[in-house]
């Protein structure tokens, strides 16, 4: 029987060996630590080629019973959720497991009252307030499939996601505070819903008390509705493979895809990885700074901690508001023991200077974590020295929306730790490096394409409404492997270092965007003939967005004031189509793009120019018009001198 909790490095090695020798027995014994209404018949049926991987079939469960009900007897009065508002002067909220349970049941009953049933899709577009956590769990309680959309995406993005999922209901709020910004969330929803005929009901949570328009028969106030329902709601019995949620994420082609996770496997994987990566003790407070609109918020703000009975902290604001000491002030205020954030936040705070962090004791911290993008060594050391006081280990956790939970990472203080290295794969994760031909690289010290060789319980099940896309994107590049889209190095000691995406995905402040998605938005401008978007190294964001834009002849490219208008139009087009988070950092007007004779854009060259390279572009003989390269270099120079 494999241990659920790994408490020594030897226990980790042992679990890794057990999982390699008999993965089904290993995962069955991990899954046995959860509450099932009915045990599974079959641990795993796997088929990588058709992307048909099913875990714990025949098993019946409800993830909220595991997050809430299971804890009521022993820790009903323990804090489940601490909520810290955007404004430090506003009152914080604390909910015990019992209180959270009641609130989840009430909202679940409200959903039911409004006709939402098992299998229906519910979109959530909300600020980081306790009601968001409650609403996500309420969906899971009744078996509705939640699709959380980060409340920074535009009305158009929200509409696309609602339509793709065919959501029947939207949960939102009147408005939102984030740093010094105020966003009229309900108005964004109203705009989106003009294009969404499937939505029958909108439930609105009060946050800012702003006047909003309420459409009779469609829109209801949540606080009024909860008054009308019972305080208890039985957890719907769910098949292990019933979908739990959809989360949209960008890929290298086309529109964002809905990554689907199912309840049984996701629960086991999120629970097990949380327990072992963060090693939280019963009395500890865990803080993941990610928004619930991203996978990190799903797995490690909400489900992971609650599955393990850990107190989780939820923060409404941003690291720099009202000043760059805010994170550290919150750590001291609530006695945070484990702090999990993104490298981009660390770099932004590092740039603001040490004084802000030195003003706080940070005595409660035991462990630090990072996620979302590679962390550079300078930021790693700053985090280690100034935040962790050289006393707290750092876990650098590599994973993806598609993996459901952490795949490569240190385990608390147990594992070897090396700056900028994610470390070793978790038990049951068979991470390999492939060369370009798809051959496994045997040598330990190597660089290659990061792939996973074996199914794991938290893996993606499908892309919503388009299974073929799931097969094509993840399981077709190399037969028999899940392809991550990342390149990685393995050091002589076996520790992995993630280099970054090898496809046309850019990672801006830990948020994924497909270059095609941004190009589509730009190409929608009247003045634009075509465009190409690439990422370039950015000191705070990790990667910045560099857009090369070719204007139509009629656009008046030589006329300065006219150019400024076009520039503003391009920015506006991206903000409208995707959201402010995808705004290009640089827009370079170009006479043309470097294309091969077959019309393929040579992005390799565009990436080099955006990195400031002026000479060595490799073989450019296949280019239709090699002169365009020098013109682009010139254009880049005048851009950077601007
Ligand atoms: C990148 C976030 C380096 C990687 C959980 C991956 C990382 C993408 C790390 C997934 C890390 C995530 N070190 N790179 N520790 N963690 N990445 O889906 O490129 O938003 O493919 O999931 O982020 O981003 P996603």
């Amino acid at each position: 029987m494999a241990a659920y909790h790994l408490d020594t490095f030897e226990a980790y090695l042992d679990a890794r060996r057990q999982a390699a020798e008999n993965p089904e027995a290993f995962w069955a014994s991990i899954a046995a630590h959860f509450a099932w209404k009915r045990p599974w018949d079959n641990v795993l049926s796997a088929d990588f080629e058709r992307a048909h991987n099913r875990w714990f079939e025949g098993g019946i469960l409800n993830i909220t019973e595991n997050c809430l009900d299971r804890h009521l007897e022993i820790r009903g009065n323990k804090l489940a959720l601490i909520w810290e508002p955007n404004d430090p002067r506003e009152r914080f909220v604390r909910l015990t497991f019992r209180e959270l349970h009641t609130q989840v049941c009430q909202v679940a009953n409200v959903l039911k009252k409004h006709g939402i049933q098992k299998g229906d899709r519910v979109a959530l577009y909300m600020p980081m307030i306790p009601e968001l956590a409650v609403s996500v769990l309420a969906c899971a309680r009744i078996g509705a499939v939640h699709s959380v959309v980060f409340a920074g995406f535009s009305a158009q993005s929200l509409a696309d996601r609602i339509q793709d999922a065919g959501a029947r209901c939207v949960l939102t709020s009147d408005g939102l505070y984030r740093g010094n910004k105020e966003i009229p969330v309900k108005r964004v929803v109203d705009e989106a819903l003009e294009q969404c005929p499937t939505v029958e009901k909108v439930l609105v949570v009060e946050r800012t008390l702003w006047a909003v328009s309420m459409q009779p028969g469609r829109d209801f106030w949540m606080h009024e509705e909860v008054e009308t329902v019972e305080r208890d709601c039985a957890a719907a019995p769910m098949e292990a493979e019933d979908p739990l949620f959809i989360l949209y994420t960008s890929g290298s082609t086309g529109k964002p895809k809905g990554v689907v996770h199912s309840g049984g496997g996701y629960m086991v994987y999120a629970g097990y990885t949380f327990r072992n990566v963060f090693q939280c003790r019963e009395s500890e407070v865990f803080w993941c700074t990610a928004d619930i609109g991203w996978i990190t918020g799903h797995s490690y703000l909400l489900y992971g901690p609650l599955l393990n009975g850990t107190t989780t902290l939820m923060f409404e604001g941003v690291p720099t508001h009202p000043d760059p000491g805010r994170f550290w002030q919150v750590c001291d205020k609530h006695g945070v023991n484990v702090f999990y954030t993104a490298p981009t936040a660390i770099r932004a705070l590092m740039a603001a200077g040490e004084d802000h962090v030195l003003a706080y004791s940070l005595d409660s911290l035991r462990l630090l974590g990072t996620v979302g993008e590679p962390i550079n060594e300078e930021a790693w050391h700053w985090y280690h020295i100034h935040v962790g006081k050289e006393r707290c280990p750092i876990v650098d956790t590599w994973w993806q929306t598609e993996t459901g939970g952490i795949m490569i990472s240190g385990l608390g203080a147990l594992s070897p730790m090396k700056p900028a290295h994610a470390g070793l794969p978790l038990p049951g994760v068979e991470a390999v490096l492939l060369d370009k031909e798809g051959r496994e690289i045997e040598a330990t010290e190597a660089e290659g394409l990061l792939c996973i060789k074996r199914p794991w319980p938290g893996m993606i099940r499908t892309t919503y409404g388009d299974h073929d896309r799931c097969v094509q994107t993840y399981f077709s590049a190399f037969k028999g492997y899940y392809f991550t889209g990342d390149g990685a190095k393995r050091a002589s000691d076996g520790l992995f270092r993630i280099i970054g995406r090898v496809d046309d995905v850019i990672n801006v402040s830990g948020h994924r965007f497909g270059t095609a998605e941004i190009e589509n938005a730009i190409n929608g401008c009247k003045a634009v003939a075509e465009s190409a978007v690439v990422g370039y190294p950015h000191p705070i964001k990790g990667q910045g967005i560099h857009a090369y834009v070719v204007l139509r002849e009629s656009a008046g490219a030589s006329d300065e004031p006219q150019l400024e208008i076009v520039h503003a139009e391009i920015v506006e087009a991206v903000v409208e189509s995707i959201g402010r988070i995808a705004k290009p950092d640089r827009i370079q007007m170009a006479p043309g793009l470097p294309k091969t004779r077959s019309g393929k854009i040579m992005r390799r060259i565009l990436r080099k120019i955006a990195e400031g390279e002026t000479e060595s572009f490799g073989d450019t003989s296949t280019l239709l018009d090699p002169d365009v390269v020098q013109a682009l270099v010139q254009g880049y120079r005048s851009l950077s001198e601007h």
Side-chain angles (χ1 to χ4, degrees):
M1 179 95 175
Y4 178 68
H5 177 214
L6 305 169
D7 52 1
T8 60
F9 189 61
E10 287 63 41
Y12 157 75
L13 291 175
D14 196 39
R16 223 172 103 160
R17 191 181 40 71
Q18 286 182 40
E21 279 167 10
N22 191 343
E24 296 192 22
F26 173 79
W27 286 114
S29 62
I30 300 301
H33 290 271
F34 294 83
W36 296 79
K37 289 174 186 284
R38 180 188 185 279
W40 54 89
D41 301 317
N42 191 15
V43 179
L44 169 67
S45 73
D47 182 345
F48 260 23
E49 236 154 84
R50 295 189 305 133
H52 199 76
N53 301 288
R54 305 174 73 78
W55 285 89
F56 311 115
E57 267 176 313
I60 307 259
L61 76 149
N62 187 293
I63 194 168
T64 68
E65 263 182 357
N66 282 273
C67 288
L68 300 168
D69 306 57
R70 190 162 57 123
H71 303 304
L72 292 184
E73 209 171 299
I74 29 173
R75 42 177 93 89
N77 296 324
K78 173 179 168 173
L79 290 182
L81 184 81
I82 302 174
W83 176 75
E84 173 67 25
N86 182 57
D87 182 342
R89 293 164 305 185
E90 194 182 330
R91 275 174 66 96
F92 57 87
V93 170
R94 299 207 276 195
L95 297 176
T96 63
F97 278 92
R98 197 175 305 283
E99 289 164 332
L100 184 59
H101 179 266
T102 303
Q103 293 198 9
V104 168
C105 287
Q106 285 177 308
V107 172
N109 284 330
V110 170
L111 291 171
K112 279 207 222 164
K113 176 183 163 187
H114 286 278
I116 303 306
Q117 295 171 359
K118 184 165 162 174
D120 286 343
R121 276 79 57 210
V122 175
L124 297 94
Y125 189 78
M126 285 171 75
M128 283 284 284
I129 52 177
E131 289 86 344
L132 171 57
V134 169
S135 300
V136 169
L137 295 169
C139 289
R141 188 82 178 167
I142 64 168
V145 180
H146 56 76
S147 167
V148 185
V149 180
F150 172 64
F153 279 114
S154 66
Q156 187 57 52
S157 288
L158 173 61
D160 291 345
R161 287 158 171 77
I162 291 174
Q163 284 168 357
D164 187 79
R168 289 187 63 200
C169 175
V170 178
L171 272 62
T172 188
S173 68
D174 44 5
L176 166 162
Y177 303 120
R178 189 185 289 135
N180 51 19
K181 292 201 186 68
E182 299 188 339
I183 302 173
V185 186
K186 175 63 164 61
R187 218 191 301 153
V188 179
V189 170
D190 288 340
E191 195 186 325
L193 292 192
E194 285 170 18
Q195 312 173 38
C196 302
T198 56
V199 174
E200 296 156 33
K201 296 287 169 75
V202 178
L203 291 156
V204 188
V205 171
E206 255 184 347
R207 170 64 185 117
T208 54
L209 307 180
W210 299 336
V212 296
S213 83
M214 298 289 281
Q215 187 173 310
R218 187 194 73 178
D219 302 353
F220 298 84
W221 287 107
M222 185 65 93
H223 65 276
E224 290 174 6
E225 291 304 297
V226 293
E227 296 300 323
T228 67
V229 296
E230 299 281 316
R231 293 163 64 88
D232 206 0
C233 172
M238 304 298 291
E239 302 268 348
E241 280 296 334
D242 280 338
L244 173 66
F245 65 86
I246 307 175
L247 189 57
Y248 285 84
T249 188
S250 296
S252 47
T253 52
K255 57 183 179 119
K257 48 189 174 293
V259 172
V260 177
H261 283 286
S262 56
Y266 175 80
M267 168 181 77
V268 170
Y269 200 68
Y272 179 69
T273 52
F274 176 82
R275 180 75 189 94
N276 292 298
V277 170
F278 300 108
Q279 301 271 334
C280 284
R281 298 174 201 128
E282 185 64 43
S283 61
E284 289 192 326
V285 175
F286 177 82
W287 181 14
C288 163
T289 68
D291 192 287
I292 294 184
W294 312 111
I295 190 70
T296 307
H298 281 58
S299 301
Y300 300 111
L301 190 160
L302 201 56
Y303 286 117
L306 296 180
L307 284 167
N308 287 283
T310 301
T311 305
T312 185
L313 191 143
M314 180 178 188
F315 175 45
E316 186 183 33
V318 298
T320 47
H321 177 82
D323 64 61
R326 183 66 164 130
F327 269 2
W328 322 128
Q329 182 244 337
V330 174
C331 283
D332 277 4
K333 178 171 174 183
H334 296 288
V336 171
N337 304 101
V338 181
F339 178 73
Y340 187 36
T341 196
T344 187
I346 299 167
R347 288 192 296 263
L349 297 177
M350 183 170 88
E354 271 96 81
D355 290 352
H356 295 285
V357 56
L358 297 179
Y360 300 94
S361 89
L362 300 179
D363 278 349
S364 57
L365 290 175
R366 168 181 63 79
L367 179 71
L368 303 173
T370 69
V371 60
E373 40 168 335
I375 180 162
N376 49 312
E377 295 195 23
E378 192 192 358
W380 193 97
H381 286 293
W382 188 87
Y383 197 32
H384 190 238
I385 294 167
H386 297 292
V387 181
K389 316 290 180 202
E390 296 181 78
R391 163 175 61 77
C392 304
I394 297 177
V395 287
D396 177 350
T397 66
W398 174 85
W399 59 298
Q400 310 178 296
T401 305
E402 295 86 345
T403 69
I406 296 166
M407 301 287 279
I408 301 181
S409 169
L411 305 177
L414 307 182
S415 314
M417 175 175 83
K418 197 152 76 172
H421 285 70
L424 299 171
L426 265 61
V429 174
E430 201 160 327
V432 295
L433 296 176
L434 302 189
D435 65 17
K436 287 209 172 65
E437 278 71 50
R439 286 178 303 232
E440 250 180 67
I441 305 174
E442 299 289 334
T444 308
E445 204 172 340
E447 176 173 344
L449 303 167
L450 182 60
C451 289
I452 313 294
K453 208 175 163 176
R454 208 199 274 279
W456 65 102
M459 71 191 298
I460 178 174
R461 294 307 195 271
T462 188
T463 43
Y464 193 80
D466 188 355
H467 188 70
D468 200 44
R469 197 164 169 204
C470 177
V471 176
Q472 291 306 326
T473 313
Y474 306 106
F475 298 95
S476 296
F478 306 106
K479 282 233 159 4
Y481 299 91
Y482 165 85
F483 177 45
T484 65
D486 280 325
K489 280 184 182 172
R490 190 170 43 210
S492 55
D493 49 14
L495 269 57
F496 283 90
R497 174 179 194 148
I498 311 299
I499 301 164
R501 305 290 306 195
V502 294
D503 52 9
D504 290 321
V505 169
I506 33 190
N507 192 330
V508 184
S509 300
H511 303 151
R512 281 162 68 172
F513 298 104
T515 53
E517 210 184 330
I518 304 174
E519 288 159 10
N520 285 343
I522 296 176
N523 296 347
C525 290
K526 259 203 328 284
V528 173
E530 60 174 338
S531 64
V533 165
V534 298
Y536 69 94
H538 186 285
I540 307 273
K541 299 177 177 186
Q543 280 191 297
I545 301 174
H546 186 123
Y548 296 89
V549 179
V550 182
L551 297 180
R552 288 181 198 280
E553 299 221 345
S554 55
S558 52
D559 173 357
E560 272 288 329
Q562 184 60 27
L563 262 186
E564 262 178 42
I565 296 175
V566 172
H567 195 286
E569 275 172 7
I570 292 171
V571 171
E572 190 49 34
V574 176
V575 170
E576 246 180 50
S577 157
I578 306 172
R580 210 153 281 285
I581 45 176
K583 217 167 88 175
D585 298 276
R586 299 178 184 156
I587 297 175
Q588 177 178 346
M589 303 303 174
L593 299 173
K595 287 187 186 170
T596 61
R597 288 192 178 80
S598 57
K600 202 170 163 304
I601 298 173
M602 289 187 74
R603 290 172 182 278
R604 179 176 59 81
I605 295 178
L606 293 176
R607 277 194 286 265
K608 285 204 158 162
I609 296 172
E611 282 167 20
E613 179 69 58
T614 55
E615 275 159 26
S616 39
F617 294 107
D619 183 10
T620 54
S621 63
T622 56
L623 284 181
L624 193 59
D625 173 16
D627 292 342
V628 84
V629 177
Q630 276 321 309
L632 289 172
V633 170
Q634 280 303 328
Y636 171 78
R637 283 215 184 99
S638 46
L639 185 76
S640 37
E641 282 158 15
H642 236 57

